[in-house]
Amino acid sequence: MPTAAERAVAAFRAGFGREPTLRARAPGRVNLIGEHVDYSDGFVLPLAIDRAVVVAAAPGATSALRAHVADLAERDSFDAAAPFQAAAGWRDYVRGVAAVLREAGIAVPPADLAIAGDVPRGGGLSSSAALEVAVARALLALAGASLDPLELARLCRRAEVEKVGVACGIMDQCASILGREGFAILLDCRSLAVRPIPMPAEAVLVVSDSGTRRSLQSSAFNQRFRECAEASALLGVAALRDVPFGALDRLLPSLPEPLRRRTRHVVQEIARTLQTAAALEQGDLAAVGRFMNGSHQGLRDDYEVSTPELDALVAAARAQPGVHGSRMSGGGFGGCIISLVSRDTLEGFAERVAEQYRGVTGREAKSFAVRPSAGADVDAL
Ligand code: GLA
């Protein structure tokens, strides 16, 4: 099976009849914990994974920016210098990134791009952030420009919020850009301060894909974003991050439902994230697992972004030997879960989880281990 990088280069040759001059790679991510708190200025603990979107690119022969997605056999072509015009699906991410770079004063050149990847699409592993970052890195390299990594993350997020129309936070873009081999990234989503936290060698993070999908736009994602803003306005704080954990019991009764439950999840999840980072540093994997399980409960009951399939998959994973903890990962409403599994019990995990999940839902689940990996990069070819 050719790698994503090989497929991107092959697609470039086939689509444009010449050789690409560079290749940009941006990884997907899993979030160990800190779910649905980035847009409340909270703390998150994601890691970049060994699956990525790759863009093979070269300066354009015409005034157009042309893009070709190898895996979908779909194309787009638009004027590199014109204002953003919405298209649909993946095209808006490419067009959106070109637009925000231009708005930031970068002379986005005409270019040819071929895109391939092995991040499952729409599965909660940030295929969209990986696409944004890979396209941005390719266009910046072709423009002979560079940006500070956090500025790059902000611009890619802006493409998603302002051009695509998903009110996402900044976690995914930061994880794809700042990832570090062997480490998770403790990110303060207010200051964007980063602390790398080493991942333990004796445990493996396993992703299990529920086989169900719901896009962020069509889900209640934007509604959750608004609910958090409403709750913080009622509580008189800039963001839910500013609600102290110790004041929860006193403050919650003043909020109407569902804002009360949403707030409880966010405040508790931020505390769990900081506790998880500390537990990882102390090598206390049992505690990490308990926090992961608590996170899933909050997402299911208070934040209401889980689904019966995700709950069944989490239950199947937790029933296996050597599993410290398991939770849905990413935006929710379908997609993937992650489990922290002892390395010495990994064998047969995927098959056993699939069997139990099939018995409950009649669906197929695919599990695969992920490695904490380096963030985005560009190679000249
Ligand atoms: C999506 C968004 C992120 C974050 C997660 C939930 O992945 O893009 O910004 O809000 O959902 O934690």
Side-chain angles (χ1 to χ4, degrees):
M1 172 83 179
T3 64
E6 288 163 353
R7 280 187 287 120
V9 170
F12 191 96
R13 287 186 188 126
F16 303 113
R18 60 199 174 104
E19 289 295 310
T21 58
L22 62 86
R23 195 170 57 197
R25 183 197 64 93
R29 63 99 188 91
V30 293
N31 186 19
L32 187 56
I33 197 160
E35 211 69 89
H36 279 285
V37 300
D38 58 348
Y39 50 91
S40 288
D41 280 359
F43 288 85
V44 295
L45 192 55
L47 44 104
I49 60 175
D50 49 330
R51 287 178 174 243
V53 170
V54 179
V55 174
T62 65
S63 66
L65 210 156
R66 300 189 296 176
H68 178 189
V69 173
D71 311 317
L72 303 173
E74 288 178 3
R75 295 169 170 279
D76 193 20
S77 176
F78 58 97
D79 182 343
F84 176 78
Q85 260 203 315
W90 62 270
R91 294 178 178 82
D92 284 348
Y93 293 86
V94 178
R95 291 171 174 226
V97 166
V100 293
L101 289 178
R102 218 172 27 241
E103 288 163 16
I106 310 267
V108 174
D112 288 341
L113 313 176
I115 303 166
D118 56 7
V119 187
R121 271 188 303 278
L125 302 181
S126 286
S127 52
S128 42
L131 174 61
E132 291 151 21
V133 173
V135 168
R137 289 294 307 260
L139 292 178
L140 283 168
L142 291 175
S146 69
L147 281 177
D148 166 77
L150 294 179
E151 187 54 25
L152 177 60
R154 284 195 198 93
L155 286 178
C156 288
R157 178 196 182 203
R158 187 178 306 158
E160 189 153 346
V161 174
E162 292 178 9
K163 310 301 180 194
V164 181
V166 181
C168 67
I170 198 155
M171 167 171 73
D172 305 343
Q173 293 79 8
C174 281
S176 185
I177 292 166
L178 303 172
R180 182 167 155 189
E181 201 173 332
F183 288 81
I185 302 289
L186 179 63
L187 173 71
D188 178 337
C189 295
R190 173 167 281 169
S191 68
L192 298 190
V194 164
R195 187 149 67 89
I197 308 282
M199 288 297 289
E202 67 271 29
V204 180
L205 266 178
V206 181
V207 169
S208 303
D209 190 335
S210 68
T212 60
R213 294 285 182 273
R214 175 103 59 98
S215 91
L216 289 185
Q217 291 102 310
S218 64
S219 72
F221 193 93
N222 290 356
Q223 186 192 337
R224 293 295 178 281
F225 190 92
R226 283 195 302 274
E227 286 167 350
C228 289
E230 239 177 273
S232 44
L234 288 173
L235 293 170
V237 292
L240 289 181
R241 142 80 171 270
D242 299 311
V243 177
F245 184 80
L248 256 192
D249 287 349
R250 181 169 56 79
L251 293 176
L252 284 184
S254 69
L255 289 174
E257 289 291 13
L259 304 188
R260 192 182 301 176
R261 276 176 293 145
R262 307 290 188 254
T263 302
R264 183 165 54 206
H265 167 72
V266 171
V267 176
Q268 290 180 342
E269 181 78 353
I270 291 172
R272 275 193 290 264
T273 303
L274 294 171
Q275 287 171 307
T276 302
L280 272 177
E281 285 179 321
Q282 288 154 13
D284 186 351
L285 298 189
V288 173
R290 279 196 304 277
F291 295 131
M292 290 174 74
N293 293 344
S295 170
H296 186 78
Q297 193 180 330
L299 291 160
R300 184 191 63 200
D301 301 340
D302 282 347
Y303 218 69
E304 295 178 287
V305 292
S306 189
T307 61
E309 287 86 2
L310 290 174
D311 294 342
L313 195 49
V314 161
R318 284 189 198 158
Q320 308 309 320
V323 172
H324 298 290
S326 189
R327 55 181 289 275
M328 56 154 277
S329 178
F333 306 111
C336 295
I337 68 158
I338 52 165
S339 307
L340 187 65
V341 185
S342 285
R343 200 173 281 281
D344 54 10
T345 56
L346 195 58
E347 211 185 308
F349 174 86
E351 293 74 20
R352 292 192 301 270
V353 168
E355 193 185 331
Q356 181 163 337
Y357 180 67
R358 193 182 306 120
V360 177
T361 64
R363 291 177 179 274
E364 290 304 314
K366 284 201 186 68
S367 296
F368 51 91
V370 290
R371 268 187 300 114
S373 300
D377 52 30
V378 180
D379 292 316
L381 294 175

